[in-house]
Amino acid sequence: MGNKNGVRTYRRSFGYWLRQLLALPGAALDYAAGKWAAMSASHAMMAEAIPLQLSISTAAKLKHAWSKQSVFPDPAAAEGWKERDHALVARIRAETAACNRNNVTRTEAYRNVYFRTPELHWALLAHMVSRNGGWNMTDLQGEWLPWLLNAEQREAVFRFLEQANALIFQDAYPQLLLYEWSRREGRSLFHLLPAFGVSVFMAPVWKQFWRDRDAVPLTIALIVNEQHYIEQRVVQHPYYREKVLHTLFFGLQSLLQLNGVIFPYGTGQARGEGVSVLKLSGLILEQFENLPERIEFGKRLYAMLFGIPRVYEGARCFAGAVKHTGSRADYAPHMFSRVRHQLPQSIYKERLLGGRLRLGAEPLYSPELGAAWSDQPLEAPDTGDWFKSVNEVWPYFQKLPLPHSFEITNEYGLMLNKIELAVLAMQRGK
């Protein structure tokens, strides 16, 4: 270190780490204050909660219907359909295919259904979860993940996300449209469900909903159905298990908290600064490969979204006011940018402190979906019905508890810090 350049490098490095050290107490204080604020906000919102009620009698009726349900639909049922039934099936298939082009079109379709028929709780839940799916897709081409994954790995993860997203839509969206058409015509059209390959599990649920309009068992059933639908077709698919689920990156998701689902629900004031900051609710899914955990995770998201008034009102306003593009700038324009303001650098320089952009730092790049990925043709799913017996679904209809902790504004900032640190560690390890 005796040469001029060496001394300069040493001093610059020492000065850098000194600044980091001096910043730590303030960052720790901010984190602690944020954690306390999140806990206080969760408790306050829980005090206002109106928990969703799962009707015991309705669940019992569904259990009885499922126990009698044949797992093989009647192949001759279509012979009794009227001409207008066949025309409606063709119309719904065409609309589903048109809206299933990509994550943005799917997310918009869910939103439109919910605002037309707000009794379909699942449509708003699906819209918000689908937004998260789009953000995860664009992250693969955004600021950080290209440092952690090569192009082939990012392509595999995108295909995994896209296939799951598209298959759920292909199965669920015709069901939502059938309900809308039933309302228009004033008659139940759920005898047409088999035309769309919908599991026989869903037929008694829709018929029950048509009679009593109880959204809770319907929403739980759609959560159960969607996760079973993708279990063999995506989660257990050999390609996705090898290329995505059994990779080191996927194993690190819990550590980096990349498998979280967030719902923006409002804004607040940053401590001591008088500036508006984003407020987020959400949950972290620990084990994606575990089917029961995915279902219970979906139920907790539902209980939070529709059982906590402030979360519901905030998320609903956000859904109505902000068009989904796939960019995280949709909800955090102070942190993310849809375009790069500078060319990508060969060496990444950290931009965050305490989960927020450093003063003068460039926003994090988060492209819109169309700039990150082209539309992909949907891979034809395997046919067959996942439903085998009432015993495999009945446990999910016993209770619908609210999550204990869901205000994650502060945890979200910590998650961003973790990802940036992973990038820095990867860079220094090369």
Side-chain angles (χ1 to χ4, degrees), residues 45-53 303-304 306-310 402:
M45 287 188 282
M46 283 291 287
E48 303 168 354
I50 307 174
L52 297 172
Q53 299 299 317
M304 176 188 71
F306 280 86
I308 307 294
R310 263 192 272 178
L402 281 166

Side-chain angles (χ1 to χ4, degrees), residues 83-154:
E83 184 177 343
R84 61 179 177 175
D85 288 338
H86 289 284
L88 180 58
V89 167
R91 179 170 182 167
I92 290 177
R93 283 175 176 164
E95 182 175 345
T96 300
C99 293
N100 206 9
R101 279 179 37 228
N102 56 53
N103 171 266
V104 169
T105 57
R106 289 188 286 268
T107 307
E108 181 69 10
Y110 286 139
R111 178 173 74 162
N112 291 340
V113 167
Y114 178 72
F115 283 104
R116 289 195 303 260
T117 51
E119 65 269 31
L120 294 179
H121 290 183
W122 187 85
L124 180 61
L125 177 64
H127 169 76
M128 297 303 298
V129 173
S130 187
R131 280 186 182 257
N132 279 264
W135 297 330
N136 291 335
M137 291 176 187
T138 59
D139 284 346
L140 294 165
Q141 306 286 45
E143 189 69 55
W144 287 323
L145 292 191
W147 290 92
L148 301 176
L149 300 173
N150 62 38
E152 181 182 357
Q153 292 169 324
R154 299 199 305 277

Side-chain angles (χ1 to χ4, degrees), residues 9 13-14 54 157 170 236 298 346 395 429:
T9 302
S13 178
F14 177 79
L54 179 57
V157 175
Q170 177 181 271
Q236 299 299 331
S346 59

Side-chain angles (χ1 to χ4, degrees), residues 273-428:
E273 297 182 19
V275 296
S276 182
V277 295
L278 181 72
K279 296 170 71 175
L280 300 170
S281 59
L283 301 171
I284 305 296
L285 175 62
E286 298 295 340
Q287 298 183 48
F288 182 87
E289 288 187 78
N290 187 300
L291 172 62
E293 183 165 338
R294 292 201 312 273
I295 292 172
E296 293 300 333
F297 179 77
K299 288 170 58 181
R300 291 194 300 273
L301 285 175
Y302 173 44
M304 176 188 71
L305 180 59
F306 280 86
I308 307 294
R310 263 192 272 178
V311 172
Y312 169 73
E313 292 297 336
R316 183 181 179 279
C317 288
F318 173 78
V322 181
K323 182 177 175 60
H324 177 63
T325 70
S327 170
R328 292 190 183 271
D330 290 351
Y331 67 88
H334 61 291
M335 288 283 292
F336 297 95
S337 173
R338 294 179 174 84
V339 297
R340 289 191 185 275
H341 294 283
Q342 295 181 352
L343 292 174
Q345 303 297 308
S346 59
I347 298 178
Y348 179 81
K349 296 181 181 179
E350 55 199 301
R351 305 184 199 173
L352 300 183
L353 181 62
R356 298 167 61 187
L357 279 177
R358 295 171 180 271
L359 185 63
E362 289 290 334
L364 303 167
Y365 177 53
S366 179
E368 295 186 359
L369 184 71
W373 300 102
S374 60
D375 292 351
Q376 302 291 314
L378 175 62
E379 299 174 22
D382 294 336
T383 57
D385 196 326
W386 61 264
F387 180 71
K388 298 298 184 289
S389 74
V390 66
N391 293 331
E392 65 181 319
V393 299
W394 178 240
Y396 302 119
F397 292 82
Q398 304 299 302
K399 57 184 178 179
L400 184 62
L402 281 166
H404 296 297
S405 178
F406 54 86
E407 213 296 336
I408 60 168
T409 303
N410 193 63
E411 293 301 315
Y412 179 73
L414 179 61
M415 178 198 73
L416 296 180
N417 274 122
K418 285 181 179 180
I419 303 172
E420 185 178 63
L421 286 173
V423 170
L424 293 169
M426 175 72 74
Q427 181 174 263
R428 289 164 187 164

